[in-house]
Amino acid sequence: MEKDLSSTPAWELDKFVEDHIIADTRFLNKVKADIDYICTFLKEKHLKGVTRSVKLNELMNYKSLMKEIHFKDVKISKVLMSGCFDSESDLKDTTEVNITIFLKGLQIFEEVFWRWEEFLEEIKKELCKLPGEEKFQLHYEVQNPEECYPSFLSFKLSSSELQQEVECRVWLARDVLPDVLPDVLHKLRNNPVLGPEICNDTYSELIHECTTPESEGNYSLSFVELQNNFLEDRPPKLKKLICLVKYWHQLCMEKLGKPVPPRYALELLTVYAWEHGSGVADFSIAQGFRTVLKLITKYEYLIIYWTVYYDFQHGEVSDYLRRQLQKDRPIILDPADPTRNIAGCTIMGWYFLADLAEEWLDYPCFKNRDGSQVRSWKVLTEVPGTKQQVTRNFFSRSYFSFPVSP
């Protein structure tokens, strides 16, 4: 398939994505229906775990307080599919779906880790009750029901008729966002007149809890709903471009056989390229694809972040964010969690991927009908000079980067 994509003329990339990459809607609809059923089944369940008390300083020296937490019943408040799983932005051969279970009643983030095994054991028992139900559209099977994974549970949905299957991984997260906050923040992104102050007190305080060195990036699952919202209302063609980039990333993993940057980093890089290079609903897929690959070849210069759900207005978060942006590049901060640098994998992973991207830039998929090279978008620099400049427009995507040459 690599040969097929690389040799596809630039003007036929749209059709290639539709014919060979975008997932089968019949299978996806069945997967969604079954996962919705499982999510509904799990909601409102209570996890008793082991009733006991612990001293925080014995576990993680949390804020150096000698304080006891009395573990009690924990409620599953909501269950969400993580990431983008729909007919517009996922691959035909999707093999994995992430499901996040949000737990209500935990007092601090660390408690998820302390009680991980207890919670997973109880959820596994609940999942094992489901195969007897007749409401599934696909074959449902809990993976290794006698063995608990260290950090997640797994079940499989498959169709012999369509010859497709998907592994669903179940993760745990502390429910920290007030029920209305994700919707409010989502509306604020498209209506800056409302002002950012509505979320500063709640959301920024939560982010501040995650900024200790031992906590950085560990609790991003609690903000999955905001990650989903960040991509939800994007134009269909941008989702198609994201799909193409994810497919290319899959080809690179298969060819290199080495660690490469995570797929989510490339998804965010694609959004960034479109926002600052195009921003319109109808654009050239080939131009967008080439721009993303050019950005990858310049990975050592990447410093990218968004001021959608957090910004510089909260003093402690602002100081932390500035420290984050001074770290070694590449930097691509999670739009929902500034403590998580998605690009922070091994530098060699970026090196190998950039080398392959450079090779792809000469392939026929970036040639016009007259034989000329497809031109990249101009991704211009905006380097804020002062805190006032950065915070003047809360909803603009502030970033540090570089111009991309055609």
Side-chain angles (χ1 to χ4, degrees):
M1 272 315 244
E2 175 184 353
K3 184 179 180 181
D4 293 338
L5 174 58
S6 62
S7 60
T8 299
W11 60 92
E12 292 184 4
L13 281 180
D14 287 77
K15 188 174 186 303
F16 182 88
V17 173
E18 293 172 1
D19 293 346
H20 302 291
I21 297 180
I22 291 179
D24 186 326
T25 54
R26 294 175 300 164
F27 180 65
L28 282 181
N29 288 337
K30 291 178 183 291
V31 169
K32 284 189 216 178
D34 285 350
I35 290 180
D36 284 345
Y37 167 67
I38 293 169
C39 291
T40 301
F41 174 83
L42 290 175
K43 281 179 184 177
E44 309 303 322
K45 296 288 182 183
H46 287 262
L47 307 178
K48 294 183 179 180
V50 179
T51 303
R52 57 192 172 97
S53 64
V54 294
K55 291 184 178 179
L56 294 182
N57 69 324
E58 294 176 355
L59 291 169
M60 295 188 70
N61 195 27
Y62 183 75
K63 294 184 178 179
S64 301
L65 295 178
M66 285 291 292
K67 175 182 176 183
E68 289 192 345
I69 285 184
H70 295 280
F71 288 162
K72 55 185 178 181
D73 289 3
V74 173
K75 177 182 175 183
I76 295 177
S77 57
K78 55 190 172 186
V79 185
L80 296 176
M81 282 188 286
S82 310
C84 226
F85 187 66
D86 56 56
S87 57
E88 293 179 313
S89 59
D90 226 320
L91 309 184
K92 185 180 295 253
D93 297 323
T94 295
T95 58
E96 181 183 313
V97 175
N98 291 315
I99 297 173
T100 304
I101 292 180
F102 291 88
L103 305 178
K104 199 82 169 179
L106 303 181
Q107 299 181 42
I108 57 175
F109 282 103
E110 286 88 342
E111 195 173 345
V112 175
F113 292 134
W114 300 343
R115 306 183 66 187
W116 204 288
E117 189 174 343
E118 300 169 27
F119 294 146
L120 287 180
E121 183 64 30
E122 290 197 53
I123 292 170
K124 180 177 69 176
K125 290 176 183 177
E126 297 294 340
L127 290 176
C128 287
K129 295 176 183 177
L130 282 165
E133 301 287 344
E134 298 179 355
K135 297 182 180 180
F136 283 99
Q137 298 190 28
L138 299 168
H139 177 67
Y140 167 81
E141 178 186 356
V142 177
Q143 301 294 288
N144 299 320
E146 300 302 322
E147 179 182 346
C148 188
Y149 284 86
S151 57
F152 64 87
L153 294 174
S154 176
F155 63 86
K156 184 170 69 175
L157 295 171
S158 59
S159 169
S160 55
E161 176 189 356
L162 299 174
Q163 296 185 332
Q164 292 192 62
E165 66 178 37
V166 63
E167 179 188 4
C168 302
R169 294 185 173 184
V170 180
W171 305 84
L172 302 181
R174 178 189 173 207
D175 188 356
V176 294
L177 298 177
D179 292 340
V180 298
L181 190 58
D183 289 337
V184 170
L185 289 173
H186 186 51
K187 290 174 183 176
L188 283 173
R189 180 160 64 87
N190 299 312
N191 190 359
V193 175
L194 295 174
E197 64 279 355
I198 193 168
C199 62
N200 265 357
D201 289 343
T202 302
Y203 184 61
S204 294
E205 287 298 334
L206 289 171
I207 289 298
H208 180 57
E209 285 187 50
C210 305
T211 58
T212 58
E214 64 272 11
S215 301
E216 289 182 328
N218 288 339
Y219 307 119
S220 60
L221 280 174
S222 291
F223 307 106
V224 157
E225 196 167 0
L226 299 183
Q227 294 167 5
N228 289 352
N229 284 350
F230 181 73
L231 294 174
E232 185 178 0
D233 291 335
R234 304 293 179 170
K237 200 159 189 178
L238 175 57
K239 292 185 178 182
K240 186 183 290 186
L241 175 59
I242 290 173
C243 193
L244 175 59
V245 172
K246 285 159 64 174
Y247 178 75
W248 178 80
H249 177 265
Q250 183 173 297
L251 293 177
C252 292
M253 287 195 299
E254 293 170 359
K255 180 170 184 177
L256 292 172
K258 299 182 178 74
V260 295
R263 186 175 70 176
Y264 187 36
L266 269 60
E267 291 181 40
L268 293 178
L269 196 59
T270 305
V271 173
Y272 164 81
W274 173 80
E275 284 182 345
H276 297 288
S278 171
V280 298
D282 190 20
F283 57 86
S284 164
I285 287 283
Q287 270 194 299
F289 187 26
R290 183 177 179 86
T291 303
V292 174
L293 265 57
K294 289 284 286 185
L295 285 169
I296 291 171
T297 65
K298 306 292 186 181
Y299 68 92
E300 292 170 297
Y301 300 93
L302 291 178
I303 307 181
I304 299 172
Y305 67 98
W306 286 264
T307 56
V308 177
Y309 299 130
Y310 55 82
D311 71 345
F312 292 86
Q313 293 190 10
H314 187 280
E316 292 170 323
V317 174
S318 173
D319 293 341
Y320 175 80
L321 182 54
R322 291 181 184 281
R323 291 196 301 271
Q324 280 284 75
L325 298 175
Q326 292 172 1
K327 292 182 179 179
D328 293 340
R329 306 175 187 186
I331 296 172
I332 304 176
L333 298 187
D334 188 330
D337 179 6
T339 73
R340 183 185 180 204
N341 177 19
I342 312 297
C345 63
T346 61
I347 199 69
M348 290 305 295
W350 281 100
Y351 173 82
F352 291 128
L353 195 67
D355 192 51
L356 203 51
E358 190 71 52
E359 180 182 325
W360 270 72
L361 292 174
D362 291 325
Y363 284 175
C365 58
F366 296 121
K367 293 286 198 307
N368 293 311
R369 293 179 186 271
D370 61 3
S372 62
Q373 285 277 7
V374 169
R375 294 179 67 84
S376 303
W377 291 327
K378 284 188 176 182
V379 183
L380 300 177
T381 356
E382 281 182 29
V383 182
T386 67
K387 181 177 179 180
Q388 287 69 35
Q389 286 179 296
V390 174
T391 59
R392 185 175 296 136
N393 184 353
F394 175 73
F395 296 93
S396 68
R397 275 75 174 169
S398 299
Y399 62 94
F400 295 71
S401 190
F402 58 96
V404 176
S405 60

